Amino acid sequence: MIKDVFPVPPETITADECEDEGATLLAWSNEESVAGRPPLIARGHRHAMGISGHLTADGDGAKLAESDSLGEAAASLGGCFSAFRIAQREIQAVTVSTRACPVFYAETSELHIVGNRALHVHLVATGGSILWDEPALQSMIRQGYFLSDETPYLGVQALGPSSSIVIRGASRVISATPLPQAQPVPSSSRAKRAAIANVGHALINAVTPLRSAPEPVNLALTGGRDSRLMAALLHAAKIPFRATTNGLDDHPDVVIARQIAAKLRIEHTIIPPAQTAAKDAIVIPHPQQRTYDVLKTCEGMTSAYESIVEYLPYSAKPTMSGQSGEILRGGFLYSQNNPAEKAMLRRIKDFFLKNEKLFTAEANDHAETLAAPWEARAQENPWEVLDHLYVTYRVGRWHAGARVGSLRRGNPIQPFLDNRVVSEALSLDQQWRYSEEVVHGLIRQFAPALRAMPLEGAPWRFTANRPPSIWSRLRSAAKAASTTGPSKKQSGWNWRTSPGPVLSQILGEYVIDRADALANIVRPDELKRLFEGPSVSQPALVWNLYTVAAMLTNTFPGDPPIGLEQVHISIPRP
């Protein structure tokens, strides 16, 4: 069974297990090659415990092992982790604020099953069969991830953020701590600097494990805000690092990342996408292959629209990125260009009922049920709802699923997912974080040389009302960066958002052929309309449909597809 649920070569897997009266702890890993790694299961005189992810302080594992309550012990600890512990006739498991290291649970007439791989939990509960939760899959099609604690598997739920599950004998109790409430904006410049410094201190502590790294950190660097903050953080913490940027040489991300690397005097590598010999087309795996790989890695928690990191043998080489940095910019508020309350309430509804006409009445009813508690909260504070929705679902479900790809090949330290960083960030006023003054202040604190460098995309929000002289300098710098390469249309092109007619036809034929399997979730007539033009207009939605169609027609689990040709997507030229 483990070969079906653990997306690494079977020969790389090591295992351990521990049994106490009425409770068993099982652990698997592909980290055998890492010297000095902690044991899969830490055994004590009263408990046996396993950690998924990492803690920032050496003594924190002992705090978890010795505490009567895992939930209480985990709440104040730094790191990105979940923990599982057994004792005599007892199981405890805990998540922290982002639940980026997830916990899943199910119950049968004989067993309580808790684990960090949802498919594994499901197969144990069903004795090896797969039963899909079709109503839950409506969210996967709309968003490409779950806006709930549901999973693709009937009877399997995800434990919420900052939550614990305690099973003693036959009884199960789930407890949760609400996400931190934001405090008012500090009333003075000094108080603002102090609040930003608190977040900065938590970020510095979050990268503490990298001080013992065997070689420089590899940072995935773009032209945006979040990876730039990570570069500034590593610079301030005096942790050696180098940077890599994926993209065509003239893409704005590549152009600006090159400038950042030069300013910090670090090594910078550009990784272009696979292209034809003539460099007139991008080459991608066939969608069936891509979908199989994503399903096997992410268990149906993310869509094949996402580019999952491919498998490589596990390595202790440290890596970082700016993923989920929106936590410091107000979560989903970061892309809320209209902050009017009416617009925010409409967006919250749209999260759950996106493309409503496409879906069956039953699917829309299910979505409305999921939306109801968030819409009720939004009547009081829509700013908080857009902030907490991001942490709860975009990070807690999408990122938690997608990051499994990178976890197969190493343990990336992601400070934006650190429990204490998240707690400090969420305690700051959402409108203040939305202004981006907090992130800019952190960059200025960590690496002043980066504060005025151009950004990919729009300039800093808080500069909009500054005197023209300051705004003009920032705008001129951004304009200068954008004119170093070809036209914006060409340099900003992305095959995922502009798939072209060839890929559109491949996707459409597959989905339409499986319309019957999707009929309980989407309307067949509306489904056909998505593919009426030569190129699909909603590529993310189409990839989501493709992914769910593959699940419901038993593409996964099973043997990978063979004999599929790669797909060439033409690169537009001026």
Side-chain angles (χ1 to χ4, degrees):
M1 183 185 293
I2 197 63
K3 67 181 178 61
D4 291 326
V5 299
F6 198 2
V8 298
E11 64 273 13
T12 68
I13 299 173
T14 57
D16 195 5
E17 64 180 84
C18 183
E19 185 174 358
D20 207 331
E21 183 182 344
T24 302
L25 182 62
L26 308 170
W28 293 266
S29 173
N30 66 325
E31 302 173 32
E32 182 66 24
S33 61
V34 179
R37 68 165 191 175
L40 289 181
I41 296 176
R43 292 168 168 83
H45 70 282
R46 291 192 305 156
H47 306 293
M49 186 177 70
I51 299 287
S52 174
H54 71 275
L55 299 158
T56 56
D58 291 339
D60 286 351
K63 293 178 182 177
L64 289 172
E66 295 165 5
S67 173
D68 289 336
S69 168
L70 271 186
E72 292 179 6
S76 61
L77 301 183
C80 179
F81 66 95
S82 56
F84 302 80
R85 195 179 72 186
I86 65 164
Q88 192 176 71
R89 294 184 58 77
E90 177 187 281
I91 300 171
Q92 290 196 45
V94 65
T95 61
V96 287
S97 50
T98 63
R99 60 170 169 176
C101 293
V103 173
F104 302 100
Y105 61 94
E107 180 180 353
T108 74
S109 59
E110 298 178 344
L111 295 172
H112 287 281
I113 309 108
V114 183
N116 67 347
R117 294 290 288 174
L119 177 58
H120 198 185
V121 169
H122 184 62
L123 293 176
V124 172
T126 63
S129 300
I130 292 184
L131 303 173
W132 301 109
D133 189 344
E134 289 193 24
L137 290 173
Q138 58 84 26
S139 181
M140 267 297 301
I141 295 174
R142 292 182 209 264
Q143 291 288 355
Y145 58 95
F146 287 90
L147 289 171
S148 69
D149 293 337
E150 299 165 314
T151 71
Y153 313 106
L154 192 65
V156 179
Q157 293 279 306
L159 194 63
S162 298
S163 296
S164 63
I165 181 169
V166 179
I167 299 162
R168 292 191 175 98
S171 67
R172 182 182 74 191
V173 176
I174 294 175
S175 304
T177 301
L179 293 173
Q181 284 194 318
Q183 301 301 307
V185 181
S187 56
S188 67
S189 296
R190 176 181 291 182
K192 282 185 175 182
R193 287 194 298 271
I196 291 172
N198 287 339
V199 180
H201 182 66
L203 284 166
I204 291 288
N205 285 338
V207 296
T208 298
L210 295 172
R211 296 191 186 280
S212 58
E215 58 183 274
V217 176
N218 185 73
L219 172 67
L221 183 62
T222 70
R225 294 141 170 82
D226 303 322
S227 64
R228 175 176 315 194
L229 175 53
M230 292 298 93
L233 170 61
L234 291 170
H235 174 79
K238 299 187 181 339
I239 294 172
F241 72 105
R242 53 179 173 251
T244 57
T245 305
N246 290 277
L248 297 171
D249 193 62
D250 53 15
H251 192 282
D253 275 338
V254 174
V255 172
I256 298 174
R258 187 186 290 120
Q259 296 176 20
I260 294 171
K263 183 71 71 172
L264 295 180
R265 299 182 179 180
I266 59 170
E267 177 187 343
H268 182 224
T269 303
I270 299 166
I271 304 174
Q275 301 178 60
T276 57
K279 295 190 176 181
D280 60 352
I282 296 291
V283 182
I284 68 165
H286 191 282
Q288 287 187 46
Q289 181 65 58
R290 181 182 175 93
T291 301
Y292 178 87
D293 292 342
V294 171
L295 287 174
K296 184 173 180 64
T297 303
C298 306
E299 305 183 285
M301 304 296 177
T302 57
S303 161
Y305 176 75
E306 307 299 339
S307 295
I308 303 302
V309 176
E310 65 181 8
Y311 171 78
L312 286 175
Y314 194 92
S315 169
K317 294 179 181 179
T319 61
M320 274 179 57
S321 74
Q323 202 166 40
S324 294
E326 293 86 357
I327 290 173
L328 267 65
R329 295 190 279 126
F332 280 127
L333 293 165
Y334 79 92
S335 56
Q336 182 66 29
N337 294 321
N338 182 356
E341 183 173 314
K342 185 176 180 180
M344 297 168 83
L345 293 172
R346 184 170 60 249
R347 188 177 181 203
I348 292 164
K349 180 180 178 67
D350 287 346
F351 270 122
F352 291 90
L353 285 156
K354 188 177 182 181
N355 294 298
E356 187 173 359
K357 290 183 179 180
L358 173 64
F359 291 85
T360 63
E362 293 78 11
N364 285 327
D365 287 346
H366 189 73
E368 288 178 349
T369 299
L370 298 175
W374 292 97
E375 289 183 306
R377 281 181 59 184
Q379 298 299 321
E380 299 294 327
N381 191 344
W383 290 85
E384 181 182 78
V385 168
L386 284 171
D387 190 22
H388 288 188
L389 271 173
Y390 182 86
V391 174
T392 304
Y393 298 135
R394 181 63 179 178
V395 179
R397 300 309 312 276
W398 174 78
H399 193 169
R403 74 192 290 264
V404 178
S406 56
L407 288 173
R408 294 179 300 174
R409 55 198 288 182
N411 183 24
I413 302 298
Q414 295 174 287
F416 292 132
L417 302 181
D418 182 271
N419 188 41
R420 286 196 289 223
V421 170
V422 173
S423 295
E424 289 287 350
L426 295 186
S427 69
L428 301 181
D429 180 82
Q430 285 95 7
Q431 296 187 46
W432 187 32
R433 278 184 283 136
Y434 172 76
S435 76
E436 300 182 324
E437 187 178 4
V438 172
V439 169
H440 188 269
L442 287 165
I443 292 172
R444 182 173 57 192
Q445 173 187 326
F446 291 147
L450 300 184
R451 63 180 178 175
M453 292 195 69
L455 290 166
E456 196 282 321
W460 297 102
R461 272 199 176 100
F462 73 94
T463 64
N465 297 319
R466 287 286 180 88
S469 58
I470 297 175
W471 168 244
S472 297
R473 287 202 301 269
L474 288 170
R475 182 171 56 190
S476 298
K479 183 177 181 181
S482 68
T483 57
T484 58
S487 68
K488 181 175 177 62
K489 181 177 179 181
Q490 180 189 357
S491 62
W493 175 78
N494 185 314
W495 69 265
R496 292 195 307 158
T497 55
S498 302
V502 174
L503 180 57
S504 294
Q505 181 178 356
I506 294 171
L507 295 171
E509 288 178 351
Y510 185 93
V511 172
I512 295 298
D513 284 348
R514 290 157 180 78
D516 288 348
L518 296 165
N520 290 333
I521 310 172
V522 298
R523 302 176 186 273
D525 54 337
E526 294 292 336
L527 186 66
K528 290 179 181 178
R529 289 194 181 95
L530 289 175
F531 303 99
E532 287 178 343
S535 295
V536 295
S537 60
Q538 297 189 68
L541 174 63
V542 169
W543 273 106
N544 299 347
L545 284 161
Y546 193 105
T547 306
V548 173
M551 280 193 275
L552 295 177
T553 53
N554 301 316
T555 295
F556 173 80
D559 295 327
I562 59 174
L564 297 172
E565 294 185 358
Q566 293 179 315
V567 177
H568 292 202
I569 306 172
S570 297
I571 299 174
R573 294 298 178 190

